[in-house]
Amino acid sequence: MTWKKFAEQPRVAELLAASLRNDRLAHAYLFAGPRGSGKMRMALHLAKSLFCTENKGDACGACLQCRRIDAGNHSDVHIITPDGASIKIDQIRALQKEMAMRSVESFYKVYIIEHIDKMTVQAANSLLKFLEEPPSGVIAILLTENSHALLSTILSRCQLVSFSPLPPDWIADKLRAEGIAEGMAKAASQITTYLDEARALSQSEWFAQLRNIMIQLIQDIKMPNSTVLFTIQDFWQKNDRLKEELPLFLDLLILWLRDILYVQVGRLAYLINSDQQDVLQGQALAWTKAELLHAMEVVMDTKNRIERNASPQLALERLVLQIQEG
Ligand SMILES: [Zn+2]
């Protein structure tokens, strides 16, 4: 792994690599971005780049220093995560003690704090003093998914580095390269920006099954004398998980409706369910554009209802009837 290979966050990687090259590292960084955007991986890479014996200004990932950092037992790299629900003052005190000790092996000491927004007030105040007068050679990397929840005094003492959510195309390509079928890879990449989660989804039998149920439902909805309500009842009986997974089901449904629209306007390159092109093409003839837009609205509305604790079963039946009424 090198700076150049951070394909998911190239801008951040380039920024940090340049700071190292020009010897202009900040004392404290705040890595802010959504879950799964690679903040910890980047923080560890920055740490490795300071200690790696093989790759100056970068990390080889294979030397003893790199491996010790990856394994979490490097004496000059400390990682703090919330102890239970919060980061407590004792953790910050212990960290300061550790950082005050001169390193025997190198000039640098690095500490990484995950979920920095979860500090107690006392812990935050204690850290703040530490950020104001950093011992030389000490580099702080603070991670958060929620920089808005941070004290402005902490924000103002760090260099803010923003991480973007992973682009769906990037996730889909990655999954495809791992051998996951195109349709599944694309659908999962639209549902979560978290690579591990997308991988787990696209590999699970349940996800494939949920997608099949969705395709069946949307097919039945447009049938004359539709028996779709019976079909739903059948689904409920056979699939216990459908109730809890209904939000996921609705996400898949939205993607599908959008795909029908794409087929209608000839934008086949945009299809998420590209492995189902034949089915989509058939359905494109059965829906008008207005009906599709209405259906998408109904699905969004159903999502909101479920978030507000509506009964999943009733919400889905209502959705079917509203879509059929057009
Ligand atoms: Zn190395």
Side-chain angles (χ1 to χ4, degrees):
M1 194 67 190
T2 60
W3 288 118
K4 283 210 170 63
K5 292 214 171 126
F6 270 95
E8 71 270 42
Q9 297 290 348
R11 207 178 37 79
V12 173
E14 178 43 40
L15 174 100
L16 295 173
S19 308
L20 274 163
R21 248 191 338 262
N22 304 325
D23 204 14
R24 296 187 62 111
L25 276 186
H27 289 297
Y29 287 98
L30 177 66
F31 286 4
R35 187 168 74 98
S37 54
K39 298 183 295 295
M40 180 56 93
R41 219 157 70 82
M42 191 73 82
L44 288 173
H45 194 79
L46 179 57
K48 282 184 267 182
S49 298
L50 295 170
F51 297 99
C52 180
T53 50
E54 299 302 312
N55 228 343
K56 192 176 171 347
D58 211 328
C60 71
C63 72
L64 183 61
Q65 299 284 333
C66 283
R67 279 186 288 132
R68 276 168 65 200
I69 293 171
D70 273 332
N73 60 18
H74 193 289
S75 57
D76 291 324
V77 178
H78 292 261
I79 299 174
I80 290 187
T81 53
D83 174 11
S86 60
I87 296 169
K88 314 227 158 48
I89 188 162
D90 290 347
Q91 294 177 277
I92 301 295
R93 282 195 186 130
L95 174 76
Q96 285 169 345
K97 221 175 192 172
E98 197 67 54
M99 289 293 129
M101 280 193 282
R102 192 175 296 282
S103 164
V104 276
E105 294 181 50
S106 81
F107 173 71
Y108 286 112
K109 272 182 174 275
V110 176
Y111 64 95
I112 300 169
I113 307 183
E114 205 175 16
H115 299 297
I116 189 78
D117 48 292
K118 299 209 168 125
M119 277 186 298
T120 63
V121 177
Q122 294 92 327
N125 285 333
S126 175
L127 179 71
L128 192 58
K129 278 186 213 127
F130 196 52
L131 285 172
E132 275 164 1
E133 296 159 18
S136 73
V138 169
I139 295 190
I141 311 172
L142 314 177
L143 315 186
T144 182
E145 288 166 20
N146 183 10
S147 57
H148 302 293
L150 280 181
L151 295 173
S152 59
T153 40
I154 287 189
L155 270 170
S156 68
R157 278 161 185 80
C158 301
Q159 180 174 337
L160 176 66
V161 180
S162 297
F163 283 60
S164 344
L166 295 186
D169 287 350
W170 185 87
I171 293 183
D173 285 349
K174 188 110 181 151
L175 296 179
R176 259 195 309 256
E178 291 173 14
I180 290 167
E182 165 129 356
M184 296 313 241
K186 279 190 177 173
S189 75
Q190 293 287 328
I191 290 188
T192 170
T193 59
Y194 196 42
L195 178 62
D196 291 344
E197 211 168 272
R199 183 183 292 119
L201 259 185
S202 58
Q203 286 173 334
S204 80
E205 221 171 277
W206 169 246
F207 187 61
Q209 206 185 339
L210 205 60
R211 185 160 165 261
N212 289 337
I213 295 176
M214 180 275 298
I215 296 172
Q216 183 67 51
L217 176 106
I218 204 78
Q219 193 87 297
D220 285 0
I221 264 184
K222 276 288 177 184
M223 292 293 178
N225 306 320
S226 168
T227 53
V228 67
L229 288 179
F230 293 106
T231 316
I232 295 179
Q233 268 161 17
D234 200 37
F235 289 152
W236 290 124
Q237 271 156 17
K238 288 185 191 147
N239 304 280
D240 288 347
R241 287 182 65 184
L242 187 55
K243 275 195 184 82
E244 32 182 298
E245 302 281 9
L246 196 56
L248 182 59
F249 180 85
L250 296 173
D251 284 341
L252 288 170
L253 185 52
I254 285 268
L255 293 174
W256 185 269
L257 292 167
R258 209 176 63 183
D259 273 357
I260 302 180
L261 266 177
Y262 281 141
V263 171
Q264 287 183 342
V265 295
R267 300 238 160 144
L268 299 184
Y270 290 87
L271 292 185
I272 298 302
N273 300 281
S274 47
D275 57 334
Q276 300 286 327
Q277 204 166 311
D278 291 348
V279 184
L280 285 166
Q281 242 142 6
Q283 294 192 1
L285 302 171
W287 293 76
T288 67
K289 191 174 169 224
E291 283 171 341
L292 284 170
L293 294 177
H294 170 71
M296 287 163 98
E297 249 172 61
V298 171
V299 178
M300 294 309 289
D301 180 54
T302 308
K303 269 194 87 167
N304 290 335
R305 279 168 185 285
I306 290 166
E307 266 167 36
R308 295 197 305 266
N309 290 322
S311 139
Q313 192 155 355
L314 290 179
L316 189 59
E317 285 175 11
R318 190 189 150 109
L319 169 138
V320 167
L321 293 173
Q322 279 186 320
I323 292 181
Q324 284 182 325
E325 282 161 12

